[in-house]
């Protein structure tokens, strides 16, 4: 009887534990489990250690795990939005994006930064954790210059740098992941544990995609991403006013009640005023005809 | 007087913390799949050798966001975002006992990994990973990026934060 009840009690303890109290509750739970003979002392030690390791919630997600989360987030979004197969534009986007990533505070991620165009007129862009960035044709149509394209990509890179996607994962997911991992510490996961961990993975992916596609990030995160974008653009030698130009164009195309940026992002007019303050009186770099030429030739097909 | 005393105590603590940090942070692990060692602290520096996920490096003096490192007899520079102070353990059992208690261990391949992705794929046959696999292959070389910047009149300064 005890043997059945104790693991249930342990799970319940873990489920209700907030991140700050996780390790304490785990220790209490494992002590009870050892006392009841449900688990050995060695198992209890490994549970306690692993629980401490995930106590910091999203910070405990390793870059390797972030990579797998990001792949699945990107694949999930792409299952709703087919890729736009134009090699020249895709390469242009990756060149600007990978160049800007080097100018960010986090140029290196587990799998690197990669960019893809979604074949839709909706105005959208998503940054999956780890650096897989998806931008819609509708968004690119709001860009009249290379500076504007760079601004869109820099904003998405800043979301990756600041781990905004990972922070959308509900704390309870990582608590359940900890439970599964802790019980099978230092061993390969068995079928049941793998199924449980996959369930947690699926739930985490849902948390992120629901935030990115439906609810949007907090105003604070968007401001942080705009601020990051301005810094990245300036380090890359681009005029950060490209972000203002893009937002101005976007405000003319967003349809009220639309399912894209109209739903998930603050009003472009509000963002413009914030970005103007961030830039202040910073001098604009000299315009380059070569940039306008390559932009015009590559983007005509979008 | 009180304030002065406090200042001394605080600076003493800061110095001790710095010494302690310096003493423990000399070994770091590569936290990206592939890292490149360069001959200068810049992405424009020549790549002299490569390291893999979990490889250990001895870290010397940093310069901005770049770390002077030595690994397997090779010296050079790696961007700090490619490194972690966590001990990345490639297999269960490799030093797991000692590191886990400090909360500074990460077991490679643990948690959300390729097994979990395979299981996810089996559960969601409607989700196609092929476009993601394709986009991950798009890598613009440093020389191409450099050419892109030069022809576009872009003056680059790299990221600052470690």
């Amino acid at each position: 009887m005890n043997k059945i009840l104790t693991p249930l009690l342990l799970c319940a303890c873990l489920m209700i534990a907030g991140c700050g109290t996780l390790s304490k509750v785990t220790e209490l739970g494992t002590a009870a489990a050892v006392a009841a003979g449900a688990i050995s002392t060695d198992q209890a030690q490994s549970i306690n250690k692993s629980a401490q390791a995930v106590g910091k919630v999203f910070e405990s997600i390793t870059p390797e795990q972030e990579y797998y989360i990001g792949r699945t987030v990107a694949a999930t979004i792409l299952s709703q939005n087919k890729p736009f197969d134009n090699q020249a534009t895709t390469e242009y986007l990756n060149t600007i994006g990978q160049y800007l990533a080097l100018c960010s505070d986090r140029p290196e991620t587990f799998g690197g930064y990669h960019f893809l165009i979604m074949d839709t007129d909706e105005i959208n862009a998503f940054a999956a954790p780890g650096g897989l960035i998806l931008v819609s044709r509708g968004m690119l149509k709001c860009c009249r210059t290379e500076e504007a394209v760079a601004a869109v990509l820099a904003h998405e890179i800043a979301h990756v740098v600041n781990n905004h996607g990972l922070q959308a994962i509900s704390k309870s997911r990582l608590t359940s992941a900890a439970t599964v991992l802790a019980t099978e510490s230092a061993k390969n996961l068995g079928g049941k544990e793998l199924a449980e961990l996959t369930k947690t993975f699926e739930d985490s992916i849902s948390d992120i995609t629901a935030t990115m596609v439906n609810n949007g990030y907090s105003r604070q995160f968007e401001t942080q991403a705009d601020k990051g974008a301005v810094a990245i653009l300036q380090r890359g030698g681009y005029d950060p006013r490209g972000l203002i130009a893009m937002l101005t164009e976007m405000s003319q195309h967003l349809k009220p009640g639309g399912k894209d940026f109209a739903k998930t992002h603050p009003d472009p007019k509000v963002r413009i005023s914030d970005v103007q303050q961030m830039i202040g009186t910073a001098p604009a770099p000299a315009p380059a005809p070569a940039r306008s030429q390559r932009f015009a030739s590559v983007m005509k097909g979008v | 007087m009180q304030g002065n005393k406090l200042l001394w105590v605080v600076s003493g603590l800061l110095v001790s913390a710095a010494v302690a940090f310096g003493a423990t942070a000399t070994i770091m692990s590569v936290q990206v799949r592939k890292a490149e060692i360069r001959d200068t602290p810049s992405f424009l520096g020549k790549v002299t050798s490569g390291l893999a996920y979990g490889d250990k490096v001895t870290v010397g003096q940093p310069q901005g966001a770049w770390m002077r490192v030595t690994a397997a007899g090779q010296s050079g520079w790696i961007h700090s975002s490619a490194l972690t102070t966590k001990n990345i353990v490639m297999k269960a059992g490799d030093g797991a006992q000692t590191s886990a208690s400090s909360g500074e261990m990460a077991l490679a391949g643990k948690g959300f990994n390729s097994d979990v992705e395979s299981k996810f794929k089996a559960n969601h046959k409607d989700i196609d990973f092929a476009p993601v696999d394709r986009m991950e292959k798009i890598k613009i070389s440093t020389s191409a990026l450099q050419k892109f910047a030069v022809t576009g009149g872009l003056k680059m300064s790299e990221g600052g934060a470690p």
Side-chain angles (χ1 to χ4, degrees), chain A residues 158-212:
Chain A
H159 277 311
V160 176
V161 170
N162 291 297
N163 293 311
H164 289 162
L166 293 183
Q167 291 183 66
I169 301 175
S170 156
K171 290 182 173 100
S172 63
R173 313 287 182 225
L174 300 174
T175 312
S176 359
T179 317
V180 174
L181 289 174
T183 49
E184 280 298 309
S185 177
K187 269 191 256 171
N188 288 329
L189 289 179
K192 183 167 163 278
E193 288 78 15
L194 180 61
E196 280 178 49
L197 190 57
T198 307
K199 174 78 173 70
T200 305
F201 184 70
E202 286 167 343
D203 291 341
S204 305
I205 302 301
S206 301
D207 287 344
I208 299 174
T209 50
T211 301
M212 292 199 312

Side-chain angles (χ1 to χ4, degrees), chain B residues 36-48 63 66-68 75-79 158:
Chain B
E36 286 162 334
I37 298 187
R38 296 173 190 276
D39 65 351
T40 57
S42 161
F43 283 108
L44 303 180
K46 191 179 156 213
V47 176
T48 53
Q63 188 173 316
W66 289 82
M67 299 285 195
R68 175 95 188 152
S75 281
W77 297 89
I78 291 187
H79 194 277
E158 290 170 8

Side-chain angles (χ1 to χ4, degrees), chain A residues 67-68 70-72 74 94 98 110-116 131-132, chain B residues 33 117 129-139:
Chain A
Y67 166 77
Y68 283 104
R71 274 175 59 80
T72 304
N94 276 277
Q98 293 183 13
F110 189 83
Y113 290 83
H114 307 278
F115 302 80
L116 200 71
L132 297 178
Chain B
R33 188 158 49 196
E117 184 181 295
F129 278 68
V132 174
D133 293 337
R134 279 203 302 275
M135 80 184 278
E136 272 189 26
K137 291 201 180 85
I138 310 172
K139 171 83 186 127

Side-chain angles (χ1 to χ4, degrees), chain B:
Chain B
M1 196 60 185
Q2 276 273 316
N4 259 347
K5 210 170 183 181
L6 187 68
L7 198 67
W8 277 111
V9 172
V10 170
S11 11
L13 282 175
L14 283 176
V15 169
S16 324
V19 169
F21 181 75
T24 53
T26 46
I27 303 282
M28 292 179 89
S29 303
V30 172
Q31 63 171 350
V32 296
R33 188 158 49 196
K34 265 166 54 187
E36 286 162 334
I37 298 187
R38 296 173 190 276
D39 65 351
T40 57
S42 161
F43 283 108
L44 303 180
K46 191 179 156 213
V47 176
T48 53
S49 58
L51 293 170
Y53 183 58
D55 281 352
K56 306 281 182 287
V57 297
T58 308
V59 178
Q61 195 66 24
Q63 188 173 316
W66 289 82
M67 299 285 195
R68 175 95 188 152
V69 300
T70 308
Q74 297 266 355
S75 281
W77 297 89
I78 291 187
H79 194 277
S80 55
S81 59
L83 299 172
T84 176
T85 50
K86 279 185 188 170
N87 176 25
I88 296 177
V89 181
M90 296 314 284
K91 272 184 290 181
D94 291 355
Q97 279 296 320
T98 49
S99 316
S101 53
S102 72
E104 284 297 326
M105 186 201 69
L107 188 60
K110 196 164 175 176
F112 302 149
N113 57 17
S114 55
D115 290 345
V116 172
E117 184 181 295
S118 302
K119 182 89 180 153
F120 179 91
K121 284 173 176 167
N123 293 353
H124 303 270
K125 296 218 163 61
D126 53 322
I127 296 179
D128 181 12
F129 278 68
V132 174
D133 293 337
R134 279 203 302 275
M135 80 184 278
E136 272 189 26
K137 291 201 180 85
I138 310 172
K139 171 83 186 127
I140 312 296
S141 70
T142 310
S143 60
L145 293 180
Q146 199 176 358
K147 194 176 158 212
F148 178 83
V150 170
T151 54
L154 297 167
K155 286 201 185 72
M156 179 195 187
S157 56
E158 290 170 8

